[in-house]
Amino acid sequence: MYGVTALGAFLLGLAVGVLLTRRLAPAADDRAGALQRSRERILAAAEEERRRLRHDLHDGLGPTLASLAMALDTARLTLRDRPEQVGPLLSDLRRRLADAVGDIRELVAGLRPPALDDLGLAGAVGGLADGTDGILVDVKISGELTSLPAAVEVAAYRIVSEALSNVRRHSLAASALVRLNRGPDALHLVVADPGTGVPQGRDGTGLAAMRERAAEIGGVCTIGPRPGGGTAVVARLPLNPLPEEPRRVRRHPSDHR
């Protein structure tokens, strides 16, 4: 009798386990599929950024510098043969050089915001807050931010920038808050406002970009309702950078003796 009861309990447990597995498997598959799609979007975005940069360098800046070199040659010959006419050529060359410098600065800013190098993350975020016209932004920072990995700095800056832009354009709020807290293994970031909140079903390019900025470095970013009304952007950005490739040491010829 005991053996039959034990066998029945075993079979019942086995059946329950099979049912739970069947129920949980689709959810697990959905999460795995969502993660795979997110990774594919991140890789596609990175490849698109490389393509854009190559296009700007090859088809934009490259021909500009080549034409400047030709203009410089023309000015040199004019200076030799007709020196009285070289003034306008040099003025035009100066203007075109200024335009080229502006293009280079735009390329650099697209890779890494210059404010991060000039002011650090804390100062750069303060600049974003000061530049949010018509909205009083309260910024509070906890922990040391001067030795963060470069990728974490860029991700945090871009997320705060996009979040404050959304506050200004969509929230109808008069104030917002930004919190940056460096923990032992991650930078925690919050941007919140007491405005109208994110409309139901709205998931535009800016919201997806904030999530992907965090995911690119192994972090997570959520956008949702704030307790008491409004919107909160909450991100956790891990501080452990990807391992660097070992440096190659160039050998001196005498090392082969």
Side-chain angles (χ1 to χ4, degrees), residues 48-201:
E48 176 63 22
E49 181 65 17
R50 294 189 191 98
R51 186 201 65 79
R52 183 194 66 81
L53 180 59
R54 180 184 181 279
H55 175 271
D56 289 344
L57 290 173
H58 183 270
D59 298 338
L61 188 58
T64 297
L65 294 178
S67 67
L68 287 173
M70 294 177 62
L72 188 60
D73 286 339
T74 300
R76 179 175 57 83
L77 294 175
T78 302
L79 179 63
R80 184 191 63 186
D81 300 332
R82 300 182 303 277
E84 70 281 357
Q85 300 178 11
V86 77
L89 291 177
L90 292 177
S91 297
D92 179 66
L93 183 59
R94 176 67 180 83
R95 178 188 58 79
R96 292 163 63 184
L97 277 171
D99 291 342
V101 170
D103 292 341
I104 293 173
R105 286 176 175 166
E106 287 184 6
L107 286 174
V108 172
L111 297 174
R112 176 178 169 85
L116 289 175
D117 294 323
D118 297 338
L119 306 173
L121 179 58
V125 168
L128 290 175
D130 293 340
T132 308
D133 295 334
I135 299 175
L136 180 63
V137 181
D138 179 37
V139 179
K140 282 189 172 58
I141 295 172
S142 303
E144 181 58 55
L145 301 186
T146 57
S147 58
L148 292 173
V152 174
E153 288 185 324
V154 173
Y157 181 88
R158 298 293 192 195
I159 291 172
V160 172
S161 176
E162 181 63 34
L164 289 179
S165 177
N166 286 338
V167 172
R168 179 177 54 82
R169 290 181 295 173
H170 305 299
S171 74
L172 302 179
S175 63
L177 62 86
V178 176
R179 300 289 183 265
L180 293 175
N181 176 31
R182 178 173 183 165
D185 57 355
L187 176 68
H188 301 273
L189 180 159
V190 176
V191 180
D193 69 84
T196 57
V198 179
Q200 190 69 24

